[in-house]
Amino acid sequence: LNPYNLSRRELLIAGGGIAVTNLSIPALAVETTPDKLGKDLIFRTTDPRNGEPELSNLVKSWVTPTKHFYVRSHAPNPQIDVNKFSLTVEGKVRTPLTLTMNQLSQLPRHHLTATLTCAGNRRVEFNSEGKVGGVQWAAGPIGNAKWSGFALADVLKKAEILEEARHVWFEGLDEIQRTNVVIPFGGSIPIEKAMITGPIPGAVLADQMNEQPLSPDHGYPLRTIVPGYVGARSVKWLGKIVVSDKPSPNHYLAAAYKLVKKTDPIDWTESGPIYRYPINGAIATPDAGTVVPAGRLDISGYVLPTGLRDSRAQRIEISTDNGINWTVAKTTGQDSAFCWQLWNARVKVTSRTNSLIMRAFDSSGGFMPQRVPWNAKGYLQNSWYRLPITVS
Ligand code: MTE
């Protein structure tokens, strides 16, 4: 991964780091070529498309460029002709609606920046206690993007929801092959969240990401964005909204995306759907397994506070001695509701250091615990992030 054949010293300088004598390891910018859909990701599966960025690319900017924004899809991208596209709104409403993109565009437009994260972020870390199912994600299925679209609450007001409305279902236009049936991806959110208005609505029907129309990987022409909730609630290729007195019966709300010990029917029924995400974070540079000289080392990463409007990253700490002493990291990104924070720190490593550990706390009482209980699907892994390194 040294395309210009530079010496290690030249690489250190080219990477913007402080030269060898300062014992600092920079994040080397490795430019790779995007695929035909413009993605520069490590694909865990290609059919369907499931890819996450290299962590050093992920933390280069507070707003994640679309090429480095993870993709999580359960089926191939559906081909949608926007001229024939319409969104239907039905169920417990006085006025069912069928809205074209032009009709949706008559509603007030909202712009917001929000982080999207997969509930399976950092799943591979569970495998040491027993292999977990699902896409084998490291710490990359997370990204912070600028979204633009229409408040779900405005659409629901137009449809005039009935007194008994409790949940809002979303249904995608994708076709997921399960054992004997083909189903769309779907889910729901509570009506209280759906009806939040203001600059950051409870949910947005987004048609733009990073100031461009959504790409096919991210749900073109329309998707939901639900700030504060795990990515699974932000349904891509949105085709239908149903207002109901019950949560969605779709597999991805009724069964999947739950914390269960075993894939046993009792566990599934006892456990509720995951909505809000807990605080999480990771060290993004240097790479795992890096060999560094003893001395000072610059490291960087991200932290996403609990998915609540007022929650902010409060203290990010790094340990080089297995959790005995902690150094406080500096935040470097913007401090915004429902967004991650980037951070960096300079720590001292010695010949006894075999890993770097990161943990964080937020203003709503959230913290990354030392351990989290194993669950069969490997969701919500937010324990202390441990990065193995070798000090030469
Ligand atoms: N929506 C549809 N229709 N189909 C999907 O497979 N995956 C969900 C969600 N919405 C999915 C979907 C999951 S699990 C996540 S984490 C996010 O989309 C990922 O969004 P992204 O691919 O735009 O990053």
Side-chain angles (χ1 to χ4, degrees), residues 189-363:
I189 63 170
I191 192 78
E192 295 81 1
K193 176 86 170 166
M195 293 308 286
I196 295 172
T197 54
I200 309 178
V204 170
L205 309 184
D207 61 346
Q208 289 176 22
M209 175 183 184
N210 292 338
E211 288 153 359
Q212 297 293 323
L214 290 175
S215 66
D217 279 329
H218 294 295
Y220 176 83
L222 192 69
R223 73 174 301 167
T224 53
I225 288 294
V226 187
Y229 281 11
V230 292
R233 308 301 166 229
S234 291
V235 175
K236 304 193 276 190
W237 312 292
L238 181 68
K240 196 201 265 188
I241 291 176
V242 181
V243 179
S244 175
D245 54 354
K246 297 180 198 61
S248 165
N250 184 281
H251 171 78
Y252 297 96
L253 187 108
Y257 294 98
K258 290 184 169 185
L259 295 177
V260 291
K261 285 277 173 228
K262 289 183 284 170
T263 42
D264 174 309
I266 301 172
D267 278 45
W268 291 113
T269 317
E270 283 178 355
S271 170
I274 302 169
Y275 293 109
R276 185 190 307 150
Y277 52 72
I279 185 174
N280 207 348
I283 299 170
T285 67
D287 287 341
T290 301
V291 181
V292 297
R296 281 182 289 157
L297 176 65
D298 287 332
I299 70 174
S300 69
Y302 69 79
V303 58
L304 177 65
T306 309
L308 288 167
R309 191 166 297 257
D310 296 325
S311 191
R312 297 290 186 281
Q314 252 186 351
R315 213 165 72 245
I316 301 147
E317 297 180 332
I318 313 298
S319 176
T320 59
D321 57 6
N322 278 311
I324 299 164
N325 294 291
W326 296 87
T327 303
V328 176
K330 282 198 216 83
T331 53
T332 59
Q334 283 179 44
D335 210 5
S336 269
F338 300 117
C339 290
W340 71 0
Q341 250 302 0
L342 301 182
W343 57 263
N344 60 39
R346 179 167 285 188
V347 293
K348 200 165 160 254
V349 293
T350 70
S351 55
R352 286 191 306 280
T353 309
N354 55 21
S355 65
L356 304 173
I357 302 178
M358 176 255 169
R359 68 179 184 189
F361 302 80
D362 67 33
S363 58

Side-chain angles (χ1 to χ4, degrees), residues 69-75 116-119 147 172-174 176 185 217-218 223 231-237 257:
F69 201 102
Y70 81 98
V71 177
R72 200 302 174 230
S73 295
H74 291 74
L116 199 66
T117 183
C118 186
W147 308 99
L173 293 166
D174 44 352
I176 306 168
F185 188 89
D217 279 329
H218 294 295
R223 73 174 301 167
R233 308 301 166 229
S234 291
V235 175
K236 304 193 276 190
W237 312 292
Y257 294 98

Side-chain angles (χ1 to χ4, degrees), residues 42 95 101 138 140 144 160 177 232 254 260 284 303 331 333 388:
I42 306 161
T95 318
M101 289 305 288
N144 190 45
E160 301 177 280
Q177 181 71 56
V260 291
V303 58
T331 53

